[in-house]
Amino acid sequence: MRFAGIGIFTLSEGEVSGYYFTAETALRGRPILKRGGRSSDLAQVETLLTRINPPSTLRREVLDGDLYEDLVATPLRALSEWIEDSERFGRLESIFEEQLRGCSVSIGITHGDLSLNNIFEDAGEITGIIDWDDSCLNGVPVCDAISHLCSRHIRRGNTLSLTLLALAAREWPEGEELQFLERCYARFG
């Protein structure tokens, strides 16, 4: 399988003890997590996101109805098991609804978990991405940028719920991470 110049070759897949697995080709290098998530990684991740979704492959749609349900509400509800405080989760749901429903966004390929663990590098160059289980051909690409930033924020000792609340309330990101996110918003809507 190929996504916009990024080769992903499945060696094997199946189910063992009720768990689905996919074994893909071996990648050179190690997760960028091992480098500590340096700011220089942001430029490489931004380039990677553009390679996965070149402008000519994106289409604009309004986040409403079934599309909002599929791409925002359902995944957000899945997070409720990780956010035990129902009042906090309700606030998060309201913020996402208020800020996203009705927005025009770019639709394209999403990885679904573009964390520091899933991007591999060797000698300062990204060599590939692993763990495509949550990928989607009709997703919101800017979500991969947000997913990446969240993994960096959590790596610094923040919880998932605090990270999402800070993002939704626009209290975080800041500095280079905010500039990265703003460029991704401009590119992907």
Side-chain angles (χ1 to χ4, degrees):
M1 181 183 314
R2 257 183 149 7
F3 287 120
I6 297 171
I8 304 166
F9 304 98
T10 301
L11 299 173
S12 178
E13 61 185 304
E15 191 173 314
V16 174
S17 300
Y19 293 97
Y20 176 76
F21 76 90
T22 302
E24 298 168 346
T25 54
L27 293 175
R28 277 187 353 267
R30 60 192 182 151
I32 61 174
L33 171 72
K34 302 291 184 190
R35 293 194 316 202
R38 300 184 309 211
S39 60
S40 63
D41 296 336
L42 289 173
Q44 289 182 309
V45 170
E46 192 171 344
T47 299
L48 180 65
L49 288 169
T50 302
R51 284 184 60 205
I52 294 170
N53 285 290
S56 63
T57 65
L58 298 172
R59 67 183 194 284
R60 299 292 289 184
E61 293 201 25
V62 174
L63 275 177
D64 209 359
D66 288 344
L67 188 62
Y68 182 85
E69 183 64 32
D70 291 345
L71 297 179
V72 180
T74 299
L76 191 57
R77 278 193 298 277
L79 285 175
S80 68
E81 71 181 68
W82 299 96
I83 302 173
E84 294 175 3
D85 181 342
S86 61
E87 184 178 322
R88 182 176 277 178
F89 180 75
R91 276 193 8 240
L92 183 64
E93 226 174 9
S94 295
I95 291 169
F96 273 73
E97 170 95 17
E98 186 178 295
Q99 293 184 9
L100 295 179
R101 187 178 289 279
C103 288
S104 176
V105 296
S106 294
I107 301 295
I109 298 170
T110 56
H111 176 270
D113 183 14
L114 204 60
S115 70
L116 292 165
N117 277 328
N118 291 335
I119 303 170
F120 275 56
E121 66 87 26
D122 186 38
E125 297 294 322
I126 291 179
T127 58
I129 307 168
I130 64 168
D131 189 9
W132 286 83
D133 289 351
D134 296 324
S135 65
C136 177
L137 297 175
N138 293 304
V140 180
V142 77
C143 289
D144 279 341
I146 293 167
S147 169
H148 181 72
L149 289 178
C150 286
S151 77
R152 296 167 66 93
H153 199 247
I154 290 167
R155 172 86 167 115
R156 293 191 292 264
N158 298 288
T159 65
L160 176 61
S161 63
L162 290 178
T163 296
L164 292 175
L165 286 168
L167 177 65
R170 299 178 189 223
E171 297 168 354
W172 168 85
E174 51 194 25
E176 291 175 327
E177 291 180 339
L178 178 59
Q179 293 168 2
F180 163 83
L181 185 58
E182 287 172 343
R183 287 191 303 274
C184 290
Y185 280 158
R187 180 173 292 115
F188 300 119

